[in-house]
Amino acid sequence: GQSLEQPSEVTAVEGAIVQINCTYQTSGFYGLSWYQQHDGGAPTFLSYNALDGLEETGRFSSFLSRSDSYGYLLLQELQMKDSASYFCAVRFSGGYNKLIFGAGTRLAVHP
Amino acid sequence: DAGITQSPRHKVTETGTPVTLRCHQTENHRYMYWYRQDPGHGLRLIHYSYGVKDTDKGEVSDGYSVSRSKTEDFLLTLESATSSQTSVYFCAISESGGDGYTFGSGTRLTVV
């Protein structure tokens, strides 16, 4: 089967950097995605890593190590609007672009 | 300009009644998915579709059925609603591997 582990909560201050880790166990791994969800809203796509290394998109970066079954989302220059839940999701073999999601990390950004 | 819409947005129903949730897309994407979201569980896949009339079960499919008679519509049916099916239901679409999902706004279902 597939499983993902990520911290349930993270707290940080405005302007800081925070890293949200995700470890996974899956057969036939294709890639790791990250999604952001504000309270009462729908998840929105942030990034996708299929290969090892760091992908940068503005203030957000995502990293993958396939050999360690590990990835992280790095948020820089934190803003209050970054307070949200963040989900890692594994795309695994079996086709149809199915994703299995972690339970989510709730990020609280304080002034 | 939303490419994906869910209806209804909120619904309260009684135990034992059938319920159908609708997902409609205007993006002509091949893949459509139904997830449920509950505290502490993240998003769990109920059913998915990879084309018209092509559907399959996800990890929590018991008590649910789906149908996709047109590319743009994916229906989720609870044949006989139970209180354990109280949840927020999200529909998502994608076109190909590596592309992110686009989620609908969700349906909050309460079974009393």
Side-chain angles (χ1 to χ4, degrees):
Chain A
Q2 294 82 24
S3 67
L4 295 94
E5 294 287 334
Q6 54 180 126
S8 59
E9 293 184 16
V10 174
T11 302
V13 296
E14 266 188 307
I17 299 172
V18 72
Q19 178 174 311
I20 300 174
N21 299 320
C22 176
T23 57
Y24 59 87
Q25 289 185 321
T26 182
S27 54
F29 174 85
Y30 276 175
L32 186 71
S33 301
W34 289 92
Y35 287 78
Q36 178 192 59
Q37 185 181 30
H38 288 98
D39 285 347
T44 57
F45 173 70
L46 292 177
S47 66
Y48 176 70
N49 294 67
L51 303 175
D52 286 358
L54 191 69
E55 297 275 347
E56 298 181 58
T57 307
R59 295 188 297 114
F60 293 2
S61 303
S62 57
F63 172 82
L64 175 65
S65 169
R66 296 172 69 108
S67 60
D68 295 322
S69 298
Y70 163 76
Y72 65 73
L73 180 69
L74 190 73
L75 298 84
Q76 303 181 72
E77 301 173 19
L78 282 172
Q79 302 174 10
M80 296 294 290
K81 68 178 182 180
D82 297 328
S83 292
S85 292
Y86 293 85
F87 296 88
C88 58
V90 165
R91 178 176 172 239
F92 58 98
S93 65
Y96 312 124
N97 199 25
K98 292 182 293 185
L99 296 180
I100 298 296
F101 285 80
T105 298
R106 190 170 183 87
L107 171 64
V109 180
H110 297 289
Chain B
D1 62 342
I4 175 172
T5 55
Q6 292 184 232
S7 59
R9 290 296 311 276
H10 302 272
K11 185 171 183 65
V12 180
T13 192
E14 293 185 350
T15 299
T17 61
V19 178
T20 295
L21 309 183
R22 182 180 184 237
C23 178
H24 178 78
Q25 63 146 328
T26 58
E27 304 294 325
N28 201 36
H29 282 349
R30 177 182 177 189
Y31 303 110
M32 299 185 76
Y33 313 85
W34 277 107
Y35 284 84
R36 60 177 289 174
Q37 185 172 36
D38 306 287
H41 289 280
L43 294 140
R44 292 181 292 175
L45 181 63
I46 306 171
H47 280 280
Y48 63 97
S49 171
Y50 46 96
V52 173
K53 292 185 169 43
D54 292 322
T55 66
D56 205 347
K57 296 178 180 179
E59 52 186 325
V60 291
S61 60
D62 286 349
Y64 302 95
S65 62
V66 291
S67 67
R68 191 173 180 194
S69 58
K70 299 184 290 185
T71 298
E72 55 267 35
D73 290 325
F74 192 32
L75 304 180
L76 176 71
T77 297
L78 290 68
E79 301 292 346
S80 178
T82 67
S83 58
S84 65
Q85 294 175 312
T86 291
S87 186
V88 179
Y89 291 85
F90 284 101
C91 177
I93 59 175
S94 77
E95 180 56 28
S96 62
D99 289 346
Y101 284 6
T102 300
F103 282 86
S105 299
T107 294
R108 183 173 294 276
L109 176 69
T110 302
V111 183
V112 298

PDB file of all heavy atoms in Angstrom, chain B residues 28-57:
ATOM      1  N   ASN B  28     -12.489  19.855 -20.540  1.00  0.00           N
ATOM      2  CA  ASN B  28     -12.325  18.679 -21.406  1.00  0.00           C
ATOM      3  C   ASN B  28     -11.177  17.776 -20.931  1.00  0.00           C
ATOM      4  O   ASN B  28     -10.512  17.118 -21.738  1.00  0.00           O
ATOM      5  CB  ASN B  28     -12.082  19.092 -22.861  1.00  0.00           C
ATOM      6  CG  ASN B  28     -12.415  17.976 -23.833  1.00  0.00           C
ATOM      7  OD1 ASN B  28     -13.355  17.208 -23.628  1.00  0.00           O
ATOM      8  ND2 ASN B  28     -11.628  17.857 -24.893  1.00  0.00           N
ATOM      9  N   HIS B  29     -10.942  17.759 -19.607  1.00  0.00           N
ATOM     10  CA  HIS B  29      -9.897  16.899 -19.066  1.00  0.00           C
ATOM     11  C   HIS B  29     -10.366  15.454 -19.023  1.00  0.00           C
ATOM     12  O   HIS B  29     -11.537  15.165 -18.764  1.00  0.00           O
ATOM     13  CB  HIS B  29      -9.513  17.359 -17.666  1.00  0.00           C
ATOM     14  CG  HIS B  29      -8.621  18.565 -17.677  1.00  0.00           C
ATOM     15  ND1 HIS B  29      -8.021  19.057 -18.799  1.00  0.00           N
ATOM     16  CD2 HIS B  29      -8.223  19.368 -16.663  1.00  0.00           C
ATOM     17  CE1 HIS B  29      -7.299  20.123 -18.488  1.00  0.00           C
ATOM     18  NE2 HIS B  29      -7.409  20.329 -17.203  1.00  0.00           N
ATOM     19  N   ARG B  30      -9.413  14.566 -19.223  1.00  0.00           N
ATOM     20  CA  ARG B  30      -9.730  13.139 -19.284  1.00  0.00           C
ATOM     21  C   ARG B  30     -10.055  12.564 -17.920  1.00  0.00           C
ATOM     22  O   ARG B  30     -10.959  11.765 -17.757  1.00  0.00           O
ATOM     23  CB  ARG B  30      -8.544  12.391 -19.885  1.00  0.00           C
ATOM     24  CG  ARG B  30      -8.750  10.886 -19.930  1.00  0.00           C
ATOM     25  CD  ARG B  30      -7.525  10.185 -20.476  1.00  0.00           C
ATOM     26  NE  ARG B  30      -7.697   8.738 -20.465  1.00  0.00           N
ATOM     27  CZ  ARG B  30      -6.729   7.868 -20.715  1.00  0.00           C
ATOM     28  NH1 ARG B  30      -5.517   8.303 -21.008  1.00  0.00           N
ATOM     29  NH2 ARG B  30      -6.982   6.576 -20.681  1.00  0.00           N
ATOM     30  N   TYR B  31      -9.269  12.957 -16.896  1.00  0.00           N
ATOM     31  CA  TYR B  31      -9.369  12.320 -15.592  1.00  0.00           C
ATOM     32  C   TYR B  31     -10.209  13.142 -14.629  1.00  0.00           C
ATOM     33  O   TYR B  31     -10.055  14.367 -14.542  1.00  0.00           O
ATOM     34  CB  TYR B  31      -7.978  12.127 -14.977  1.00  0.00           C
ATOM     35  CG  TYR B  31      -7.032  11.334 -15.833  1.00  0.00           C
ATOM     36  CD1 TYR B  31      -5.944  11.947 -16.445  1.00  0.00           C
ATOM     37  CD2 TYR B  31      -7.226   9.971 -16.033  1.00  0.00           C
ATOM     38  CE1 TYR B  31      -5.070  11.224 -17.241  1.00  0.00           C
ATOM     39  CE2 TYR B  31      -6.360   9.246 -16.823  1.00  0.00           C
ATOM     40  CZ  TYR B  31      -5.282   9.872 -17.431  1.00  0.00           C
ATOM     41  OH  TYR B  31      -4.429   9.147 -18.214  1.00  0.00           O
ATOM     42  N   MET B  32     -11.069  12.455 -13.907  1.00  0.00           N
ATOM     43  CA  MET B  32     -11.869  13.089 -12.866  1.00  0.00           C
ATOM     44  C   MET B  32     -11.851  12.207 -11.627  1.00  0.00           C
ATOM     45  O   MET B  32     -11.789  10.975 -11.743  1.00  0.00           O
ATOM     46  CB  MET B  32     -13.316  13.326 -13.346  1.00  0.00           C
ATOM     47  CG  MET B  32     -13.400  14.245 -14.563  1.00  0.00           C
ATOM     48  SD  MET B  32     -15.094  14.649 -15.051  1.00  0.00           S
ATOM     49  CE  MET B  32     -15.541  15.865 -13.779  1.00  0.00           C
ATOM     50  N   TYR B  33     -11.911  12.855 -10.462  1.00  0.00           N
ATOM     51  CA  TYR B  33     -11.749  12.136  -9.202  1.00  0.00           C
ATOM     52  C   TYR B  33     -12.746  12.659  -8.178  1.00  0.00           C
ATOM     53  O   TYR B  33     -13.071  13.848  -8.177  1.00  0.00           O
ATOM     54  CB  TYR B  33     -10.340  12.353  -8.638  1.00  0.00           C
ATOM     55  CG  TYR B  33      -9.227  12.183  -9.644  1.00  0.00           C
ATOM     56  CD1 TYR B  33      -8.842  13.255 -10.456  1.00  0.00           C
ATOM     57  CD2 TYR B  33      -8.559  10.969  -9.791  1.00  0.00           C
ATOM     58  CE1 TYR B  33      -7.827  13.110 -11.375  1.00  0.00           C
ATOM     59  CE2 TYR B  33      -7.538  10.827 -10.717  1.00  0.00           C
ATOM     60  CZ  TYR B  33      -7.172  11.898 -11.502  1.00  0.00           C
ATOM     61  OH  TYR B  33      -6.170  11.757 -12.424  1.00  0.00           O
ATOM     62  N   TRP B  34     -13.154  11.787  -7.269  1.00  0.00           N
ATOM     63  CA  TRP B  34     -13.905  12.197  -6.103  1.00  0.00           C
ATOM     64  C   TRP B  34     -13.090  11.849  -4.858  1.00  0.00           C
ATOM     65  O   TRP B  34     -12.652  10.699  -4.693  1.00  0.00           O
ATOM     66  CB  TRP B  34     -15.259  11.487  -6.020  1.00  0.00           C
ATOM     67  CG  TRP B  34     -16.328  12.120  -6.840  1.00  0.00           C
ATOM     68  CD1 TRP B  34     -16.863  11.658  -8.014  1.00  0.00           C
ATOM     69  CD2 TRP B  34     -17.023  13.331  -6.549  1.00  0.00           C
ATOM     70  NE1 TRP B  34     -17.829  12.508  -8.460  1.00  0.00           N
ATOM     71  CE2 TRP B  34     -17.947  13.543  -7.585  1.00  0.00           C
ATOM     72  CE3 TRP B  34     -16.948  14.258  -5.505  1.00  0.00           C
ATOM     73  CZ2 TRP B  34     -18.797  14.648  -7.616  1.00  0.00           C
ATOM     74  CZ3 TRP B  34     -17.792  15.353  -5.537  1.00  0.00           C
ATOM     75  CH2 TRP B  34     -18.706  15.545  -6.577  1.00  0.00           C
ATOM     76  N   TYR B  35     -12.909  12.857  -4.002  1.00  0.00           N
ATOM     77  CA  TYR B  35     -12.230  12.676  -2.725  1.00  0.00           C
ATOM     78  C   TYR B  35     -13.173  13.105  -1.607  1.00  0.00           C
ATOM     79  O   TYR B  35     -14.033  13.950  -1.800  1.00  0.00           O
ATOM     80  CB  TYR B  35     -10.976  13.551  -2.635  1.00  0.00           C
ATOM     81  CG  TYR B  35      -9.789  13.057  -3.425  1.00  0.00           C
ATOM     82  CD1 TYR B  35      -9.659  13.356  -4.778  1.00  0.00           C
ATOM     83  CD2 TYR B  35      -8.793  12.297  -2.816  1.00  0.00           C
ATOM     84  CE1 TYR B  35      -8.556  12.899  -5.497  1.00  0.00           C
ATOM     85  CE2 TYR B  35      -7.695  11.836  -3.533  1.00  0.00           C
ATOM     86  CZ  TYR B  35      -7.588  12.148  -4.870  1.00  0.00           C
ATOM     87  OH  TYR B  35      -6.497  11.702  -5.582  1.00  0.00           O
ATOM     88  N   ARG B  36     -12.952  12.544  -0.443  1.00  0.00           N
ATOM     89  CA  ARG B  36     -13.600  13.066   0.743  1.00  0.00           C
ATOM     90  C   ARG B  36     -12.524  13.558   1.703  1.00  0.00           C
ATOM     91  O   ARG B  36     -11.409  13.022   1.737  1.00  0.00           O
ATOM     92  CB  ARG B  36     -14.493  12.021   1.428  1.00  0.00           C
ATOM     93  CG  ARG B  36     -13.816  10.765   1.912  1.00  0.00           C
ATOM     94  CD  ARG B  36     -14.799   9.852   2.645  1.00  0.00           C
ATOM     95  NE  ARG B  36     -15.203  10.389   3.941  1.00  0.00           N
ATOM     96  CZ  ARG B  36     -16.122   9.854   4.720  1.00  0.00           C
ATOM     97  NH1 ARG B  36     -16.772   8.757   4.336  1.00  0.00           N
ATOM     98  NH2 ARG B  36     -16.421  10.393   5.882  1.00  0.00           N
ATOM     99  N   GLN B  37     -12.869  14.588   2.453  1.00  0.00           N
ATOM    100  CA  GLN B  37     -11.900  15.173   3.377  1.00  0.00           C
ATOM    101  C   GLN B  37     -12.494  15.201   4.772  1.00  0.00           C
ATOM    102  O   GLN B  37     -13.557  15.791   4.995  1.00  0.00           O
ATOM    103  CB  GLN B  37     -11.498  16.592   2.959  1.00  0.00           C
ATOM    104  CG  GLN B  37     -10.405  17.174   3.843  1.00  0.00           C
ATOM    105  CD  GLN B  37      -9.863  18.484   3.319  1.00  0.00           C
ATOM    106  OE1 GLN B  37     -10.595  19.305   2.759  1.00  0.00           O
ATOM    107  NE2 GLN B  37      -8.560  18.682   3.481  1.00  0.00           N
ATOM    108  N   ASP B  38     -11.796  14.573   5.680  1.00  0.00           N
ATOM    109  CA  ASP B  38     -12.197  14.520   7.082  1.00  0.00           C
ATOM    110  C   ASP B  38     -11.018  14.914   7.950  1.00  0.00           C
ATOM    111  O   ASP B  38      -9.868  14.645   7.590  1.00  0.00           O
ATOM    112  CB  ASP B  38     -12.653  13.098   7.449  1.00  0.00           C
ATOM    113  CG  ASP B  38     -13.733  12.583   6.529  1.00  0.00           C
ATOM    114  OD1 ASP B  38     -14.871  13.060   6.661  1.00  0.00           O
ATOM    115  OD2 ASP B  38     -13.440  11.726   5.673  1.00  0.00           O
ATOM    116  N   PRO B  39     -11.274  15.543   9.077  1.00  0.00           N
ATOM    117  CA  PRO B  39     -10.178  15.963   9.963  1.00  0.00           C
ATOM    118  C   PRO B  39      -9.261  14.794  10.306  1.00  0.00           C
ATOM    119  O   PRO B  39      -9.725  13.717  10.667  1.00  0.00           O
ATOM    120  CB  PRO B  39     -10.927  16.471  11.201  1.00  0.00           C
ATOM    121  CG  PRO B  39     -12.254  16.892  10.688  1.00  0.00           C
ATOM    122  CD  PRO B  39     -12.591  15.925   9.595  1.00  0.00           C
ATOM    123  N   GLY B  40      -7.967  15.036  10.178  1.00  0.00           N
ATOM    124  CA  GLY B  40      -6.992  14.011  10.520  1.00  0.00           C
ATOM    125  C   GLY B  40      -6.709  13.000   9.443  1.00  0.00           C
ATOM    126  O   GLY B  40      -5.820  12.162   9.583  1.00  0.00           O
ATOM    127  N   HIS B  41      -7.483  13.048   8.347  1.00  0.00           N
ATOM    128  CA  HIS B  41      -7.309  12.051   7.282  1.00  0.00           C
ATOM    129  C   HIS B  41      -6.866  12.655   5.964  1.00  0.00           C
ATOM    130  O   HIS B  41      -6.615  11.930   5.003  1.00  0.00           O
ATOM    131  CB  HIS B  41      -8.610  11.289   7.055  1.00  0.00           C
ATOM    132  CG  HIS B  41      -8.964  10.357   8.163  1.00  0.00           C
ATOM    133  ND1 HIS B  41      -8.399   9.104   8.307  1.00  0.00           N
ATOM    134  CD2 HIS B  41      -9.817  10.502   9.198  1.00  0.00           C
ATOM    135  CE1 HIS B  41      -8.903   8.522   9.376  1.00  0.00           C
ATOM    136  NE2 HIS B  41      -9.764   9.343   9.936  1.00  0.00           N
ATOM    137  N   GLY B  42      -6.804  13.934   5.865  1.00  0.00           N
ATOM    138  CA  GLY B  42      -6.467  14.515   4.577  1.00  0.00           C
ATOM    139  C   GLY B  42      -7.545  14.218   3.562  1.00  0.00           C
ATOM    140  O   GLY B  42      -8.736  14.136   3.890  1.00  0.00           O
ATOM    141  N   LEU B  43      -7.118  14.018   2.338  1.00  0.00           N
ATOM    142  CA  LEU B  43      -8.038  13.726   1.241  1.00  0.00           C
ATOM    143  C   LEU B  43      -7.918  12.251   0.874  1.00  0.00           C
ATOM    144  O   LEU B  43      -6.819  11.758   0.620  1.00  0.00           O
ATOM    145  CB  LEU B  43      -7.694  14.594   0.025  1.00  0.00           C
ATOM    146  CG  LEU B  43      -7.910  16.082   0.227  1.00  0.00           C
ATOM    147  CD1 LEU B  43      -6.794  16.889  -0.401  1.00  0.00           C
ATOM    148  CD2 LEU B  43      -9.260  16.477  -0.375  1.00  0.00           C
ATOM    149  N   ARG B  44      -9.030  11.580   0.839  1.00  0.00           N
ATOM    150  CA  ARG B  44      -9.032  10.156   0.507  1.00  0.00           C
ATOM    151  C   ARG B  44      -9.845   9.912  -0.756  1.00  0.00           C
ATOM    152  O   ARG B  44     -10.957  10.390  -0.897  1.00  0.00           O
ATOM    153  CB  ARG B  44      -9.591   9.333   1.679  1.00  0.00           C
ATOM    154  CG  ARG B  44      -8.690   9.320   2.896  1.00  0.00           C
ATOM    155  CD  ARG B  44      -9.262   8.472   4.012  1.00  0.00           C
ATOM    156  NE  ARG B  44     -10.469   9.074   4.577  1.00  0.00           N
ATOM    157  CZ  ARG B  44     -11.219   8.483   5.501  1.00  0.00           C
ATOM    158  NH1 ARG B  44     -10.909   7.263   5.942  1.00  0.00           N
ATOM    159  NH2 ARG B  44     -12.295   9.086   5.977  1.00  0.00           N
ATOM    160  N   LEU B  45      -9.252   9.139  -1.645  1.00  0.00           N
ATOM    161  CA  LEU B  45      -9.842   8.903  -2.954  1.00  0.00           C
ATOM    162  C   LEU B  45     -11.003   7.917  -2.861  1.00  0.00           C
ATOM    163  O   LEU B  45     -10.843   6.806  -2.352  1.00  0.00           O
ATOM    164  CB  LEU B  45      -8.770   8.370  -3.915  1.00  0.00           C
ATOM    165  CG  LEU B  45      -9.195   8.091  -5.347  1.00  0.00           C
ATOM    166  CD1 LEU B  45      -9.638   9.368  -6.043  1.00  0.00           C
ATOM    167  CD2 LEU B  45      -8.031   7.449  -6.115  1.00  0.00           C
ATOM    168  N   ILE B  46     -12.149   8.322  -3.395  1.00  0.00           N
ATOM    169  CA  ILE B  46     -13.343   7.467  -3.365  1.00  0.00           C
ATOM    170  C   ILE B  46     -13.458   6.678  -4.663  1.00  0.00           C
ATOM    171  O   ILE B  46     -13.500   5.440  -4.673  1.00  0.00           O
ATOM    172  CB  ILE B  46     -14.619   8.306  -3.160  1.00  0.00           C
ATOM    173  CG1 ILE B  46     -14.499   9.188  -1.914  1.00  0.00           C
ATOM    174  CG2 ILE B  46     -15.837   7.395  -3.044  1.00  0.00           C
ATOM    175  CD1 ILE B  46     -15.630  10.197  -1.778  1.00  0.00           C
ATOM    176  N   HIS B  47     -13.547   7.395  -5.765  1.00  0.00           N
ATOM    177  CA  HIS B  47     -13.621   6.808  -7.104  1.00  0.00           C
ATOM    178  C   HIS B  47     -12.943   7.749  -8.070  1.00  0.00           C
ATOM    179  O   HIS B  47     -12.793   8.934  -7.792  1.00  0.00           O
ATOM    180  CB  HIS B  47     -15.078   6.636  -7.551  1.00  0.00           C
ATOM    181  CG  HIS B  47     -15.798   5.445  -7.006  1.00  0.00           C
ATOM    182  ND1 HIS B  47     -15.661   4.176  -7.513  1.00  0.00           N
ATOM    183  CD2 HIS B  47     -16.695   5.353  -5.994  1.00  0.00           C
ATOM    184  CE1 HIS B  47     -16.442   3.349  -6.830  1.00  0.00           C
ATOM    185  NE2 HIS B  47     -17.073   4.032  -5.906  1.00  0.00           N
ATOM    186  N   TYR B  48     -12.583   7.219  -9.211  1.00  0.00           N
ATOM    187  CA  TYR B  48     -12.025   8.057 -10.237  1.00  0.00           C
ATOM    188  C   TYR B  48     -12.484   7.578 -11.616  1.00  0.00           C
ATOM    189  O   TYR B  48     -13.012   6.464 -11.759  1.00  0.00           O
ATOM    190  CB  TYR B  48     -10.488   8.086 -10.169  1.00  0.00           C
ATOM    191  CG  TYR B  48      -9.832   6.752 -10.400  1.00  0.00           C
ATOM    192  CD1 TYR B  48      -9.332   6.395 -11.650  1.00  0.00           C
ATOM    193  CD2 TYR B  48      -9.679   5.855  -9.341  1.00  0.00           C
ATOM    194  CE1 TYR B  48      -8.721   5.177 -11.851  1.00  0.00           C
ATOM    195  CE2 TYR B  48      -9.061   4.628  -9.541  1.00  0.00           C
ATOM    196  CZ  TYR B  48      -8.585   4.288 -10.784  1.00  0.00           C
ATOM    197  OH  TYR B  48      -7.980   3.080 -10.970  1.00  0.00           O
ATOM    198  N   SER B  49     -12.289   8.453 -12.596  1.00  0.00           N
ATOM    199  CA  SER B  49     -12.693   8.127 -13.962  1.00  0.00           C
ATOM    200  C   SER B  49     -11.571   8.505 -14.916  1.00  0.00           C
ATOM    201  O   SER B  49     -10.935   9.547 -14.762  1.00  0.00           O
ATOM    202  CB  SER B  49     -13.965   8.889 -14.335  1.00  0.00           C
ATOM    203  OG  SER B  49     -14.247   8.746 -15.710  1.00  0.00           O
ATOM    204  N   TYR B  50     -11.344   7.649 -15.875  1.00  0.00           N
ATOM    205  CA  TYR B  50     -10.317   7.911 -16.879  1.00  0.00           C
ATOM    206  C   TYR B  50     -10.907   8.022 -18.279  1.00  0.00           C
ATOM    207  O   TYR B  50     -10.178   7.931 -19.279  1.00  0.00           O
ATOM    208  CB  TYR B  50      -9.216   6.849 -16.835  1.00  0.00           C
ATOM    209  CG  TYR B  50      -9.697   5.430 -16.748  1.00  0.00           C
ATOM    210  CD1 TYR B  50      -9.824   4.648 -17.886  1.00  0.00           C
ATOM    211  CD2 TYR B  50     -10.005   4.861 -15.522  1.00  0.00           C
ATOM    212  CE1 TYR B  50     -10.254   3.337 -17.810  1.00  0.00           C
ATOM    213  CE2 TYR B  50     -10.444   3.542 -15.425  1.00  0.00           C
ATOM    214  CZ  TYR B  50     -10.571   2.787 -16.573  1.00  0.00           C
ATOM    215  OH  TYR B  50     -11.000   1.483 -16.488  1.00  0.00           O
ATOM    216  N   GLY B  51     -12.200   8.226 -18.348  1.00  0.00           N
ATOM    217  CA  GLY B  51     -12.870   8.441 -19.616  1.00  0.00           C
ATOM    218  C   GLY B  51     -14.357   8.192 -19.457  1.00  0.00           C
ATOM    219  O   GLY B  51     -14.814   7.721 -18.406  1.00  0.00           O
ATOM    220  N   VAL B  52     -15.101   8.511 -20.517  1.00  0.00           N
ATOM    221  CA  VAL B  52     -16.542   8.280 -20.473  1.00  0.00           C
ATOM    222  C   VAL B  52     -16.819   6.799 -20.238  1.00  0.00           C
ATOM    223  O   VAL B  52     -16.264   5.941 -20.924  1.00  0.00           O
ATOM    224  CB  VAL B  52     -17.195   8.752 -21.781  1.00  0.00           C
ATOM    225  CG1 VAL B  52     -18.668   8.367 -21.817  1.00  0.00           C
ATOM    226  CG2 VAL B  52     -17.038  10.264 -21.930  1.00  0.00           C
ATOM    227  N   LYS B  53     -17.621   6.533 -19.243  1.00  0.00           N
ATOM    228  CA  LYS B  53     -18.015   5.187 -18.844  1.00  0.00           C
ATOM    229  C   LYS B  53     -16.864   4.361 -18.267  1.00  0.00           C
ATOM    230  O   LYS B  53     -17.048   3.166 -17.989  1.00  0.00           O
ATOM    231  CB  LYS B  53     -18.687   4.438 -19.994  1.00  0.00           C
ATOM    232  CG  LYS B  53     -20.039   5.008 -20.382  1.00  0.00           C
ATOM    233  CD  LYS B  53     -20.714   4.165 -21.450  1.00  0.00           C
ATOM    234  CE  LYS B  53     -22.164   4.528 -21.687  1.00  0.00           C
ATOM    235  NZ  LYS B  53     -22.467   5.936 -21.746  1.00  0.00           N
ATOM    236  N   ASP B  54     -15.701   4.965 -18.085  1.00  0.00           N
ATOM    237  CA  ASP B  54     -14.557   4.260 -17.502  1.00  0.00           C
ATOM    238  C   ASP B  54     -14.305   4.780 -16.099  1.00  0.00           C
ATOM    239  O   ASP B  54     -13.823   5.910 -15.924  1.00  0.00           O
ATOM    240  CB  ASP B  54     -13.306   4.455 -18.356  1.00  0.00           C
ATOM    241  CG  ASP B  54     -13.411   3.780 -19.696  1.00  0.00           C
ATOM    242  OD1 ASP B  54     -13.984   2.671 -19.759  1.00  0.00           O
ATOM    243  OD2 ASP B  54     -12.920   4.352 -20.680  1.00  0.00           O
ATOM    244  N   THR B  55     -14.627   3.966 -15.113  1.00  0.00           N
ATOM    245  CA  THR B  55     -14.444   4.368 -13.724  1.00  0.00           C
ATOM    246  C   THR B  55     -13.834   3.226 -12.935  1.00  0.00           C
ATOM    247  O   THR B  55     -13.885   2.063 -13.350  1.00  0.00           O
ATOM    248  CB  THR B  55     -15.783   4.774 -13.075  1.00  0.00           C
ATOM    249  OG1 THR B  55     -16.640   3.629 -12.978  1.00  0.00           O
ATOM    250  CG2 THR B  55     -16.474   5.869 -13.869  1.00  0.00           C
ATOM    251  N   ASP B  56     -13.286   3.569 -11.777  1.00  0.00           N
ATOM    252  CA  ASP B  56     -12.723   2.530 -10.924  1.00  0.00           C
ATOM    253  C   ASP B  56     -12.745   3.007  -9.481  1.00  0.00           C
ATOM    254  O   ASP B  56     -12.932   4.204  -9.203  1.00  0.00           O
ATOM    255  CB  ASP B  56     -11.303   2.181 -11.338  1.00  0.00           C
ATOM    256  CG  ASP B  56     -10.909   0.764 -10.933  1.00  0.00           C
ATOM    257  OD1 ASP B  56     -11.641   0.148 -10.121  1.00  0.00           O
ATOM    258  OD2 ASP B  56      -9.875   0.276 -11.414  1.00  0.00           O
ATOM    259  N   LYS B  57     -12.539   2.055  -8.564  1.00  0.00           N
ATOM    260  CA  LYS B  57     -12.623   2.357  -7.138  1.00  0.00           C
ATOM    261  C   LYS B  57     -11.321   2.941  -6.622  1.00  0.00           C
ATOM    262  O   LYS B  57     -10.231   2.592  -7.078  1.00  0.00           O
ATOM    263  CB  LYS B  57     -12.937   1.070  -6.373  1.00  0.00           C
ATOM    264  CG  LYS B  57     -14.280   0.466  -6.706  1.00  0.00           C
ATOM    265  CD  LYS B  57     -14.484  -0.829  -5.944  1.00  0.00           C
ATOM    266  CE  LYS B  57     -15.842  -1.436  -6.277  1.00  0.00           C
ATOM    267  NZ  LYS B  57     -16.063  -2.714  -5.553  1.00  0.00           N
TER     268      LYS B  57
END
